[in-house]
Amino acid sequence: MSREAVRPFLVVKNEDGDYRVTIRTTRYNSQGYPLVSADLLEEKFATQKAAKLFVKENYGAETGQIAIK
């Protein structure tokens, strides 16, 4: 794993065609290595745009903080 921090928000399309949002938190151990924890939100969205808008409105995310997969 790289020492580069991950984007804090991840939008992923699941097998049912819905989009889900994962909130990722990065902290660093004593050697400076990033440790990432992830929490999948319960909400499902019909479009990628709706998921991104939800993250921006509810978590104050900026465009560069959202990863799409």
Side-chain angles (χ1 to χ4, degrees):
M1 179 170 211
S2 112
R3 290 183 180 255
E4 205 173 293
V6 296
R7 294 180 183 179
F9 306 100
L10 176 64
V11 176
V12 178
K13 186 173 186 178
N14 66 13
E15 58 275 348
D16 296 330
D18 297 320
Y19 288 89
R20 304 285 304 269
V21 175
T22 301
I23 307 296
R24 301 186 290 192
T25 306
T26 304
R27 60 186 181 86
Y28 297 89
N29 67 8
S30 60
Q31 286 85 31
Y33 192 79
L35 303 171
V36 180
S37 59
D39 295 313
L40 181 64
L41 300 181
E42 294 291 326
E43 290 87 354
K44 295 179 182 178
F45 303 93
T47 64
Q48 184 183 74
K49 185 174 183 175
K52 289 171 65 176
L53 185 60
F54 173 82
V55 172
K56 287 179 181 180
E57 289 178 350
N58 292 292
Y59 293 96
E62 298 175 8
T63 303
Q65 296 177 320
I66 303 171
I68 307 296
K69 190 170 186 184

